[in-house]
Short mmCIF file of all heavy atoms in Angstrom, two decimals:
data_model
loop_
_atom_site.label_atom_id
_atom_site.label_comp_id
_atom_site.label_asym_id
_atom_site.label_seq_id
_atom_site.Cartn_x
_atom_site.Cartn_y
_atom_site.Cartn_z
N LYS A 251 29.02 182.12 103.51
CA LYS A 251 28.47 181.45 104.67
C LYS A 251 28.78 182.14 105.98
O LYS A 251 28.00 182.16 106.91
CB LYS A 251 28.93 179.99 104.71
CG LYS A 251 30.45 179.82 104.94
CD LYS A 251 30.87 178.37 104.99
CE LYS A 251 32.39 178.26 105.24
NZ LYS A 251 32.82 176.86 105.21
N ASN A 252 30.02 182.69 106.04
CA ASN A 252 30.37 183.36 107.32
C ASN A 252 29.57 184.62 107.49
O ASN A 252 29.14 184.96 108.60
CB ASN A 252 31.84 183.65 107.31
CG ASN A 252 32.70 182.36 107.56
OD1 ASN A 252 32.48 181.70 108.56
ND2 ASN A 252 33.61 182.07 106.65
N VAL A 253 29.47 185.42 106.44
CA VAL A 253 28.74 186.67 106.50
C VAL A 253 27.21 186.36 106.78
O VAL A 253 26.56 187.07 107.61
CB VAL A 253 28.87 187.49 105.21
CG1 VAL A 253 27.89 188.65 105.17
CG2 VAL A 253 30.33 187.97 105.08
N ASP A 254 26.70 185.35 106.08
CA ASP A 254 25.33 185.01 106.27
C ASP A 254 25.04 184.62 107.70
O ASP A 254 24.01 184.99 108.29
CB ASP A 254 24.98 183.83 105.36
CG ASP A 254 23.49 183.47 105.42
OD1 ASP A 254 22.62 184.33 105.15
OD2 ASP A 254 23.16 182.31 105.78
N ALA A 255 25.95 183.84 108.35
CA ALA A 255 25.77 183.44 109.72
C ALA A 255 25.83 184.69 110.65
O ALA A 255 25.02 184.81 111.57
CB ALA A 255 26.88 182.47 110.14
N PHE A 256 26.78 185.60 110.31
CA PHE A 256 26.86 186.81 111.19
C PHE A 256 25.58 187.62 111.10
O PHE A 256 25.08 188.09 112.13
CB PHE A 256 28.07 187.59 110.65
CG PHE A 256 28.23 189.00 111.34
CD1 PHE A 256 29.06 189.10 112.45
CD2 PHE A 256 27.53 190.07 110.88
CE1 PHE A 256 29.25 190.31 113.04
CE2 PHE A 256 27.69 191.32 111.50
CZ PHE A 256 28.58 191.47 112.57
N LEU A 257 25.09 187.85 109.91
CA LEU A 257 23.87 188.66 109.75
C LEU A 257 22.61 188.01 110.31
O LEU A 257 21.71 188.71 110.77
CB LEU A 257 23.62 188.92 108.24
CG LEU A 257 24.74 189.80 107.56
CD1 LEU A 257 24.43 189.93 106.06
CD2 LEU A 257 24.87 191.18 108.21
N SER A 258 22.61 186.68 110.44
CA SER A 258 21.48 186.02 111.05
C SER A 258 21.49 186.17 112.57
O SER A 258 20.43 186.01 113.23
CB SER A 258 21.50 184.58 110.70
OG SER A 258 22.55 183.85 111.42
N PHE A 259 22.61 186.57 113.12
CA PHE A 259 22.76 186.61 114.54
C PHE A 259 22.88 188.03 115.10
O PHE A 259 22.33 188.31 116.19
CB PHE A 259 23.99 185.85 115.00
CG PHE A 259 24.41 185.99 116.42
CD1 PHE A 259 23.66 185.38 117.45
CD2 PHE A 259 25.48 186.78 116.75
CE1 PHE A 259 24.00 185.56 118.78
CE2 PHE A 259 25.86 186.94 118.09
CZ PHE A 259 25.12 186.33 119.10
N SER A 260 23.50 188.95 114.37
CA SER A 260 23.84 190.33 114.90
C SER A 260 22.77 191.31 114.51
O SER A 260 22.60 191.61 113.31
CB SER A 260 25.18 190.75 114.33
OG SER A 260 26.18 189.88 114.79
N PRO A 261 22.04 191.87 115.48
CA PRO A 261 21.00 192.87 115.14
C PRO A 261 21.53 194.27 115.01
O PRO A 261 20.90 195.17 114.48
CB PRO A 261 20.07 192.78 116.34
CG PRO A 261 21.00 192.42 117.49
CD PRO A 261 22.07 191.53 116.89
N VAL A 262 22.78 194.55 115.58
CA VAL A 262 23.32 195.94 115.57
C VAL A 262 24.73 195.88 115.02
O VAL A 262 25.64 195.42 115.72
CB VAL A 262 23.33 196.56 117.01
CG1 VAL A 262 23.77 198.06 116.90
CG2 VAL A 262 21.99 196.38 117.65
N TYR A 263 24.95 196.27 113.79
CA TYR A 263 26.25 196.19 113.21
C TYR A 263 26.47 197.35 112.20
O TYR A 263 25.52 197.92 111.70
CB TYR A 263 26.44 194.88 112.53
CG TYR A 263 25.50 194.66 111.35
CD1 TYR A 263 25.89 195.11 110.03
CD2 TYR A 263 24.29 194.07 111.48
CE1 TYR A 263 25.04 194.91 108.95
CE2 TYR A 263 23.44 193.86 110.39
CZ TYR A 263 23.82 194.32 109.13
OH TYR A 263 22.97 194.16 108.06
N ARG A 264 27.70 197.65 111.86
CA ARG A 264 28.05 198.56 110.84
C ARG A 264 28.95 197.80 109.82
O ARG A 264 29.40 196.70 110.10
CB ARG A 264 28.80 199.78 111.38
CG ARG A 264 30.08 199.54 112.04
CD ARG A 264 30.72 200.82 112.59
NE ARG A 264 32.02 200.57 113.21
CZ ARG A 264 33.18 200.75 112.61
NH1 ARG A 264 33.19 201.12 111.33
NH2 ARG A 264 34.29 200.51 113.25
N TRP A 265 29.17 198.38 108.69
CA TRP A 265 29.96 197.72 107.65
C TRP A 265 31.02 198.68 107.09
O TRP A 265 30.90 199.92 107.11
CB TRP A 265 29.03 197.19 106.49
CG TRP A 265 28.16 198.27 105.92
CD1 TRP A 265 26.95 198.70 106.29
CD2 TRP A 265 28.51 199.12 104.79
NE1 TRP A 265 26.50 199.73 105.56
CE2 TRP A 265 27.41 200.02 104.56
CE3 TRP A 265 29.62 199.22 103.89
CZ2 TRP A 265 27.42 200.93 103.57
CZ3 TRP A 265 29.64 200.12 102.87
CH2 TRP A 265 28.49 201.00 102.77
N GLU A 266 32.04 198.09 106.55
CA GLU A 266 33.13 198.79 105.94
C GLU A 266 33.63 198.12 104.71
O GLU A 266 33.54 196.88 104.58
CB GLU A 266 34.33 198.94 106.93
CG GLU A 266 34.03 199.66 108.20
CD GLU A 266 35.24 199.61 109.18
OE1 GLU A 266 36.07 198.74 109.04
OE2 GLU A 266 35.21 200.42 110.15
N ILE A 267 34.13 198.83 103.73
CA ILE A 267 34.70 198.25 102.52
C ILE A 267 36.10 198.81 102.32
O ILE A 267 36.35 200.03 102.42
CB ILE A 267 33.80 198.63 101.27
CG1 ILE A 267 32.41 198.01 101.42
CG2 ILE A 267 34.53 198.08 99.97
CD1 ILE A 267 31.49 198.28 100.26
N TYR A 268 37.04 197.91 102.12
CA TYR A 268 38.43 198.22 101.82
C TYR A 268 38.83 197.75 100.42
O TYR A 268 38.57 196.58 100.13
CB TYR A 268 39.36 197.63 102.90
CG TYR A 268 39.08 198.20 104.26
CD1 TYR A 268 38.21 197.52 105.11
CD2 TYR A 268 39.71 199.36 104.71
CE1 TYR A 268 37.96 197.99 106.39
CE2 TYR A 268 39.44 199.84 105.99
CZ TYR A 268 38.58 199.12 106.83
OH TYR A 268 38.33 199.64 108.10
N TYR A 269 39.48 198.63 99.68
CA TYR A 269 39.86 198.22 98.32
C TYR A 269 41.42 198.02 98.24
O TYR A 269 42.18 198.88 98.62
CB TYR A 269 39.46 199.34 97.31
CG TYR A 269 38.00 199.55 97.21
CD1 TYR A 269 37.34 200.53 98.01
CD2 TYR A 269 37.20 198.75 96.39
CE1 TYR A 269 35.98 200.70 97.94
CE2 TYR A 269 35.79 198.96 96.30
CZ TYR A 269 35.24 199.86 97.10
OH TYR A 269 33.87 200.11 97.09
N TYR A 270 41.78 196.79 97.74
CA TYR A 270 43.21 196.51 97.56
C TYR A 270 43.51 196.20 96.08
O TYR A 270 42.58 196.16 95.24
CB TYR A 270 43.56 195.29 98.47
CG TYR A 270 43.40 195.52 99.90
CD1 TYR A 270 42.19 195.15 100.54
CD2 TYR A 270 44.29 196.20 100.67
CE1 TYR A 270 41.95 195.42 101.87
CE2 TYR A 270 44.12 196.46 102.03
CZ TYR A 270 42.91 196.06 102.65
OH TYR A 270 42.73 196.31 103.99
N ASP A 271 44.74 195.92 95.78
CA ASP A 271 45.09 195.76 94.39
C ASP A 271 44.39 194.59 93.73
O ASP A 271 43.88 194.70 92.56
CB ASP A 271 46.65 195.55 94.24
CG ASP A 271 47.41 196.85 94.58
OD1 ASP A 271 46.75 197.89 94.53
OD2 ASP A 271 48.60 196.76 94.92
N ASN A 272 44.30 193.46 94.46
CA ASN A 272 43.78 192.23 93.89
C ASN A 272 42.42 191.80 94.38
O ASN A 272 41.88 190.80 93.91
CB ASN A 272 44.79 191.11 94.06
CG ASN A 272 46.14 191.39 93.40
OD1 ASN A 272 46.16 191.91 92.27
ND2 ASN A 272 47.22 191.08 94.13
N TYR A 273 41.91 192.46 95.38
CA TYR A 273 40.65 192.09 95.91
C TYR A 273 40.03 193.22 96.75
O TYR A 273 40.68 194.24 97.06
CB TYR A 273 40.81 190.85 96.89
CG TYR A 273 41.68 191.10 98.11
CD1 TYR A 273 41.08 191.57 99.27
CD2 TYR A 273 43.07 190.88 98.07
CE1 TYR A 273 41.87 191.79 100.40
CE2 TYR A 273 43.81 191.08 99.20
CZ TYR A 273 43.24 191.63 100.34
OH TYR A 273 43.98 191.79 101.42
N THR A 274 38.76 193.04 97.06
CA THR A 274 38.04 194.02 97.90
C THR A 274 37.61 193.30 99.18
O THR A 274 37.17 192.14 99.14
CB THR A 274 36.81 194.57 97.13
OG1 THR A 274 37.22 195.21 95.96
CG2 THR A 274 36.00 195.56 98.01
N GLU A 275 37.70 193.97 100.22
CA GLU A 275 37.35 193.34 101.57
C GLU A 275 36.13 194.05 102.15
O GLU A 275 36.15 195.29 102.23
CB GLU A 275 38.55 193.46 102.51
CG GLU A 275 38.32 192.75 103.85
CD GLU A 275 39.53 192.79 104.71
OE1 GLU A 275 40.49 191.94 104.47
OE2 GLU A 275 39.63 193.65 105.65
N VAL A 276 35.15 193.29 102.48
CA VAL A 276 33.94 193.80 103.17
C VAL A 276 33.91 193.31 104.60
O VAL A 276 34.05 192.11 104.84
CB VAL A 276 32.68 193.37 102.42
CG1 VAL A 276 31.46 194.03 103.06
CG2 VAL A 276 32.75 193.66 100.94
N ARG A 277 33.72 194.25 105.57
CA ARG A 277 33.69 193.86 106.94
C ARG A 277 32.38 194.25 107.59
O ARG A 277 31.80 195.29 107.30
CB ARG A 277 34.81 194.57 107.74
CG ARG A 277 36.24 194.18 107.33
CD ARG A 277 37.26 194.75 108.33
NE ARG A 277 38.61 194.34 107.93
CZ ARG A 277 39.63 194.36 108.76
NH1 ARG A 277 39.46 194.80 110.03
NH2 ARG A 277 40.83 193.94 108.36
N PHE A 278 31.93 193.35 108.45
CA PHE A 278 30.66 193.58 109.25
C PHE A 278 31.09 193.52 110.69
O PHE A 278 31.77 192.56 111.09
CB PHE A 278 29.63 192.57 108.95
CG PHE A 278 29.21 192.57 107.48
CD1 PHE A 278 29.93 191.82 106.53
CD2 PHE A 278 28.09 193.27 107.09
CE1 PHE A 278 29.50 191.82 105.21
CE2 PHE A 278 27.67 193.29 105.75
CZ PHE A 278 28.40 192.56 104.78
#
Side-chain angles (χ1 to χ4, degrees):
K251 66 180 181 183
N252 286 304
V253 171
D254 184 60
F256 176 94
L257 295 177
S258 73
F259 171 73
S260 299
V262 186
Y263 65 88
R264 64 186 180 92
W265 55 273
E266 299 173 341
I267 298 178
Y268 297 92
Y269 297 95
Y270 299 96
D271 291 340
N272 300 318
Y273 64 89
T274 302
E275 184 174 280
V276 184
R277 295 192 178 197
F278 299 85

